[in-house]
Amino acid sequence: MQNKNNKVKLLVPLFSVFLGLLIGGIIMLLSGYKPIEAYVALFQGMVGDPYFIGETIRQMSPLILSGLAVAFAFRTGLFNIGVEGQLLVGWLAAVYVGVTVDAPTIVHVPLAILAAAVAGALWGAVPGILKARFKVHEVITTIMMNYIALYSTNEIIRNFLLAPGERTENVKESASLASPFLQSITEYSTLHYGIIVALIAAVIMWFLLWRTTMGYELRAVGFNQHASQYAGINVSKNIVLSMAISGAFAGIAGSMEGLGTYQYMTINAAFTGVGFDGIAVALLGANSAIGVVLGAALFGGLKIGALNMQSIAGVPTELVGVVIALIIFFVACSYIVHWLMNRVSKGGKI
Amino acid sequence: MSFMDILALIVPAAIVSAAPLIFTALGGVFSERSGVVNIGLEGLMLFGAFTGAVTIYYGEQLGLNGAAPWVSFIVAMIVGAMLASIHALASITLKADQVVSGVALNFLAAGLAIFLTKKIFNAGQTPVISERISKSDIPFLSDIPLIGKLFFSNAYLTSYVAVGVALIVWYVLYKTPFGLRLRSVGEHPMAADTMGINVTKVRYIGVLLSGALAGLGGAVYVASISGNFTHSTITGQGFMALAAMIFGKWHPLGALGAALFFGLAQAISISGSHIPFLQDIPKVFLLIAPYVLTILALAGLVGRADAPKALGTPYEKGKR
C-alpha cells in the first residue's frame, strides 16, 4: 500500500509536467511557433552549458526557500499566499543590515540572513495571529499583507536608503554571498553561495517537521484541528508558530536576492513573482523538502531556459508562465491522474 | 479650497475608480455564494482587460466608433466566462483545491494575455485606444443642487450601469428561485441535492457568471481608466474586488458599498496631493489604506461576517 502511494506521489507531478509541456507545445503550434525547436532551446537554456547551469542553480535558491515557506504552512493546514510580501520585507531587512552594519563576514552574513528571517517571521505572524484570534481567513489577509509590504518597503527605501537608480546602496563586501569561485567555474554566471543556505533550510524544514515534538504538533494541527485540541495541543499557538516559521523561510528567500543575486534592493513597481512561484514549487514537490528542491530545480530551469527560448525560437518568455500555470492545474486536479491510473491498473474498468 | 470643492474632486473620481471593482466583486458574490472560492478574479479581470483592449482596437479599425467599447464588454464577458470554465471544471468536477485552482488561473491569465499581446502586436502592450467611454452629465439629475454636481455629473455611464447591475444581482439572489438555489448550494449542498437541485449545474453557473462579470470589470477598466493593456494594467484590482466582496459580507449591496469605499480610497491616494488636509500625510499611508482597512474590517470591526457554509469544499454525492 505504502509502495503504491509513493508511486502515485511521484507519478502525479511527472504526469502534470508532461501534460503542461504538451499543452504549451500545442499553444505554440497554434500561434505559429515551432514547439520542438523551442523546447530544445528551452532545455539547452536550462542545462546546456556551465553558464546556464550556474544561472539555473542561482534561480533555484529563492525558489527553494519560497517553496519551503508555502510547503511548511500547507503541512500545518494553512495556505500562505503571503510569501511574496514576507520575501520583500526579508529582502529589505537583509539589505539594511548589509548596508549599515560593519562586521567580519563570518558574523555579517548570518546576521543579515537572520534579520531577513525575523522580518519575514513577524510579517507572517500577523495573519497567523489574526487567524488564531479572530478566525480571519489567512488567504485574504496574506494577500492584503503582500500589498502593504510592497508599498511600505518601497517607501522605506525612498525615504531612508535611496541611492541613484531608484534602489538602495550595494551591501558591504562582508555581507555578500557572491562568490568569484562559483562564478569562475560556471563561465561567469551570477551563481552565489545562496544555494547552500537554501539546501540547509530544506534540511531544517525536514528535521523540524519530522524529528521534533514541535513538528509533530504542527502536523497534527494540520491533519485535524479538533482532534489536536482534544489531545491537549494549543491550536492557536501552533497556527501563529507555523505562519511565523513559514514567513521566516520566505524572508530568507528575500535575503537570497538581497545578498546574493542583486546585492541591493530596487524600488519594486510590481511583485517579484518568486513568492507566487513558491506555491507552484510546493505543490509540485508534494510539500516535502526533497520535492521542493526538485520542483525548484524544474521551475528555476524553466525560467532561465525561457530567455534562451525567446532569443533562439522567438517564443515570448510568458509561455513558460502559461506552462507553469497548467502544471499547477494538473497537480491540483490529481484526481484525473488517480482516475487514469485506476483505469489502467484495473484493465480498462473503473 | 472649500469642502465642496474637495468633494467635487474626490466623489466623481471615486465613482469612476469603483466601477470595475463593483462588476468584479459582484462576480465574486455569484461564485462564492454557490460555494466555490474564486481567488482567480484577478486573472479573470486581467484577461477581460486584455480582451477589451484588443476588441476595442479592432472595433475601431472596423469602424464601430463609439459602439466599440460596448461591443468589447460583451466579448469580454463571453471570454471571461470561457476562462472561468477552467476553474469550474477543476474545482467542481475534478474536485481540485479551489484556492490552488484560482491561483493557477491567475498565472494562466497573466501568462496567456501577455503572450498573446506580444504575438499579436509584437510589443509588450496593446496600442492606446481612442474610443473610450466618455464622461458625461446625466440629464436632469445633474441639475439637482449639491448632489447633482457630486454624483451625476462628469461621470461614466458604465458607473451607473455598475450600480444598476448590483441592484439586479441583489434581486436575482434574494427574490428569484434561481437565487435561492444558488444560495442553498453554497450553504448546504447535500440538503439542496436532496431537494432535487443539481448542485454541479448551479455551481457551474455561479462560476461562469463570476467569470463574465470579472471579464466585464476588466474591460470597463480599459475603456474608462487605462486606455490600453500592459502587464501592469491590472495589478491587484481583482484582489481588491475579492476583498470588497468579503468586506461586503458576500452580499451584492454590501459588495457595492465596499467597492465604492475602495474606489474612494483609490481616488484619495491619486488626488490626495491636491487636498490641503491630506497633503501632509505620506502617500504610502493612502496607498495601503484599503488593504489595512480590509484586514481591520475582517478582524471584527464591522461585525461577524459569515462566509457561505460550504465555501471551499467540493460536493461529493453521498458523502456526509
Side-chain angles (χ1 to χ4, degrees), chain A residues 206-217:
Chain A
W206 170 82
F207 187 82
L208 263 184
L209 275 179
W210 299 99
R211 289 288 179 274
T212 63
T213 318
M214 185 175 82
Y216 177 81
E217 287 195 2

Side-chain angles (χ1 to χ4, degrees), chain A residues 44 103 107 135 138 159 172 191 274 289 292 333 335:
Chain A
Q44 280 176 346
V107 180
K135 306 255 177 294
E138 76 277 10
N159 286 342
K172 295 199 171 117
L191 184 59
V274 174
V292 164
C333 305
Y335 187 77

Side-chain angles (χ1 to χ4, degrees), chain A residues 31 79 134 139-140 147 318, chain B residues 39 99 118-119 236 246 304:
Chain A
S31 14
F79 198 169
F134 299 104
V139 165
I140 297 296
Y147 287 96
E318 281 74 21
Chain B
I39 298 270
V99 176
K118 284 189 176 170
K119 173 73 198 157
I246 295 170
R304 263 273 89 76

Side-chain angles (χ1 to χ4, degrees), chain B residues 197-215:
Chain B
I197 297 170
N198 187 337
V199 175
T200 307
K201 192 175 124 193
V202 172
R203 286 193 166 175
Y204 260 88
I205 295 174
V207 175
L208 293 190
L209 281 174
S210 82
L213 285 169

Side-chain angles (χ1 to χ4, degrees), chain A residues 281-311:
Chain A
V281 168
L283 281 172
L284 197 69
N287 302 324
S288 70
I290 180 80
V292 164
V293 173
L294 295 175
L298 177 72
F299 285 169
L302 284 175
K303 297 229 143 192
I304 294 298
L307 304 170
N308 199 46
M309 181 181 76
Q310 181 161 26
S311 59

Side-chain angles (χ1 to χ4, degrees), chain A residues 183-221:
Chain A
Q183 290 175 1
S184 69
I185 58 167
T186 54
E187 295 176 0
Y188 299 97
S189 71
T190 52
L191 184 59
H192 55 76
Y193 285 125
I195 186 69
I196 298 171
V197 178
L199 291 176
I200 293 173
V203 174
I204 290 176
M205 151 148 156
W206 170 82
F207 187 82
L208 263 184
L209 275 179
W210 299 99
R211 289 288 179 274
T212 63
T213 318
M214 185 175 82
Y216 177 81
E217 287 195 2
L218 287 167
R219 284 185 293 125
V221 171

Side-chain angles (χ1 to χ4, degrees), chain A residues 42-241:
Chain A
L42 180 73
F43 188 71
Q44 280 176 346
M46 289 166 77
V47 288
D49 63 39
Y51 174 82
F52 287 131
I53 293 175
E55 288 293 308
T56 296
I57 296 175
R58 190 263 300 163
Q59 185 81 16
M60 273 171 72
S61 27
L63 282 175
I64 291 176
L65 284 156
S66 70
L68 291 175
V70 179
F72 194 91
F74 257 136
R75 279 281 179 202
T76 61
L78 297 165
F79 198 169
N80 184 3
I81 304 192
V83 173
E84 187 71 40
Q86 294 143 19
L87 182 147
L88 288 171
V89 295
W91 186 350
L92 183 67
V95 167
Y96 179 77
V97 171
V99 170
T100 55
V101 174
D102 271 313
T105 302
I106 192 95
V107 180
H108 206 173
V109 169
L111 190 69
I113 293 175
L114 186 70
V118 170
L122 291 175
W123 207 258
V126 173
I129 294 167
L130 289 166
K131 167 112 179 174
R133 176 80 182 71
F134 299 104
K135 306 255 177 294
V136 185
H137 204 290
E138 76 277 10
V139 165
I140 297 296
T141 39
T142 49
I143 290 172
M144 297 297 127
M145 292 292 284
N146 282 343
Y147 287 96
I148 298 174
L150 178 65
Y151 294 124
S152 309
T153 51
N154 281 349
E155 185 69 11
I156 292 171
I157 295 173
R158 213 170 271 136
N159 286 342
F160 303 108
L161 294 164
L162 196 64
E166 293 282 283
R167 65 184 187 90
T168 67
E169 301 280 352
N170 274 8
V171 297
K172 295 199 171 117
E173 195 88 15
S174 54
S176 167
L177 283 169
S179 154
F181 166 69
L182 288 179
Q183 290 175 1
S184 69
I185 58 167
T186 54
E187 295 176 0
Y188 299 97
S189 71
T190 52
L191 184 59
H192 55 76
Y193 285 125
I195 186 69
I196 298 171
V197 178
L199 291 176
I200 293 173
V203 174
I204 290 176
M205 151 148 156
W206 170 82
F207 187 82
L208 263 184
L209 275 179
W210 299 99
R211 289 288 179 274
T212 63
T213 318
M214 185 175 82
Y216 177 81
E217 287 195 2
L218 287 167
R219 284 185 293 125
V221 171
F223 271 122
N224 190 329
Q225 284 196 6
H226 303 291
S228 311
Q229 182 98 45
Y230 185 69
I233 296 174
N234 185 340
V235 171
S236 299
K237 190 194 96 187
N238 274 290
I239 288 175
V240 179
L241 188 63

